[in-house]
Amino acid sequence: GDSVTQMEGPVTLSEEAFLTINCTYTATGYPSLFWYVQYPGEGLQLLLKATKADDKGSNKGFEATYRKETTSFHLEKGSVQVSDSAVYFCALKASFGNEKLTFGTGTRLTIIP
Amino acid sequence: EAGVAQSPRYKIIEKRQSVAFWCNPISGHATLYWYQQILGQGPKLLIQFQNNGVVDDSQLPKDRFSAERLKGVDSTLKIQPAKLEDSAVYLCASSLRGAQTNEKLFFGSGTQLSVL
């Protein structure tokens, strides 16, 4: 079945550091890929998405590129801020069938000033 | 626009007791989802409704979990009887149609359940 594998956390970085959170997936067909973020005390919210190979999703300085050849969707940000501290979830939605959203285990990111 | 509303925010019960969670999705959203998020894991889909019909309940432990969405709007999720391993955050989400591959889900803040 479909699955998502994220890099293990937690991740702690200093402010203005470069961020990469790895995500790889297993799915049949051509799924859509998502990054969701969960800030402390809040619900999950969509950060960015990509719907086909080579698409780049971007939002709030974060980017991720849909790489079909490596089945990856790594999240990157050039200069992180304290306000980026949150849990980040990679997810996919299959291109056929029930199209349910399948999540990775999440990566907790802490940015220190 | 109002978001997905869930209640209660927290619930503590003893094992073998019953508990119910409530969700009111964004107005006009046809699809409603219940997810279970165990500490340290990603959310896992329990049940998906399209209007008031069940689309997917393959991962719902039907011997103890039940859910309904009678009028195609708000929904309740019940656990009876609860087990220790049911301790988790229960997330409700909704989407406009649910059938589109790239459609985003809107999540509520969740109900944190502790079973003692």
Side-chain angles (χ1 to χ4, degrees):
Chain A
D2 298 341
S3 67
V4 176
T5 303
Q6 281 184 242
M7 73 185 277
E8 297 265 337
V11 174
T12 303
L13 295 173
S14 297
E15 204 166 20
E16 298 183 4
F18 183 85
L19 168 72
T20 300
I21 300 178
N22 290 339
C23 170
T24 57
Y25 67 90
T26 302
T28 52
Y30 301 92
S32 290
L33 302 175
F34 305 81
W35 277 99
Y36 278 79
V37 59
Q38 190 171 31
Y39 297 105
E42 298 183 18
L44 281 160
Q45 55 187 274
L46 180 67
L47 179 60
L48 54 85
K49 67 180 182 183
T51 58
K52 60 183 187 296
D54 300 325
D55 264 5
K56 178 185 283 188
S58 61
N59 185 26
K60 299 182 180 180
F62 290 88
E63 293 183 339
T65 301
Y66 189 141
R67 300 287 189 201
K68 189 160 179 64
E69 63 276 15
T70 54
T71 62
S72 65
F73 193 55
H74 304 321
L75 183 68
E76 297 182 337
K77 186 173 185 181
S79 177
V80 292
Q81 305 300 313
V82 172
S83 57
D84 295 326
S85 298
V87 182
Y88 292 81
F89 292 91
C90 186
L92 70 81
K93 201 172 188 187
S95 55
F96 52 83
N98 181 41
E99 301 166 351
K100 67 182 181 184
L101 202 57
T102 300
F103 285 90
T105 54
T107 302
R108 180 174 298 278
L109 174 67
T110 301
I111 307 301
I112 53 178
Chain B
E1 151 182 282
V4 176
Q6 288 189 247
S7 67
R9 186 74 178 89
Y10 303 94
K11 190 73 177 179
I12 300 173
I13 61 171
E14 295 186 348
K15 60 183 179 184
R16 291 188 289 273
Q17 285 188 321
S18 302
V19 65
F21 313 126
W22 174 82
C23 172
N24 191 18
I26 292 173
S27 177
H29 279 195
T31 309
L32 186 148
Y33 312 78
W34 283 102
Y35 280 84
Q36 180 192 57
Q37 186 178 6
I38 294 173
L39 187 65
Q41 299 181 19
K44 181 185 81 172
L45 180 68
L46 293 176
I47 189 167
Q48 177 182 343
F49 292 94
Q50 185 76 15
N51 297 307
N52 61 349
V54 176
V55 174
D56 183 351
D57 63 357
S58 58
Q59 297 191 93
L60 186 74
K62 299 181 186 62
D63 57 332
R64 298 183 300 106
F65 286 64
S66 64
E68 59 184 14
R69 193 185 184 199
L70 291 176
K71 297 182 180 178
V73 181
D74 56 354
S75 174
T76 55
L77 176 70
K78 297 179 181 178
I79 308 175
Q80 180 179 10
K83 292 186 175 181
L84 297 177
E85 59 261 34
D86 298 333
S87 295
V89 176
Y90 290 85
L91 298 168
C92 180
S94 70
S95 63
L96 193 57
R97 289 178 296 276
Q100 303 301 315
T101 305
N102 61 355
E103 191 175 74
K104 81 176 193 181
L105 273 61
F106 294 82
F107 283 84
S109 298
T111 295
Q112 185 170 326
L113 174 67
S114 297
V115 182
L116 307 178

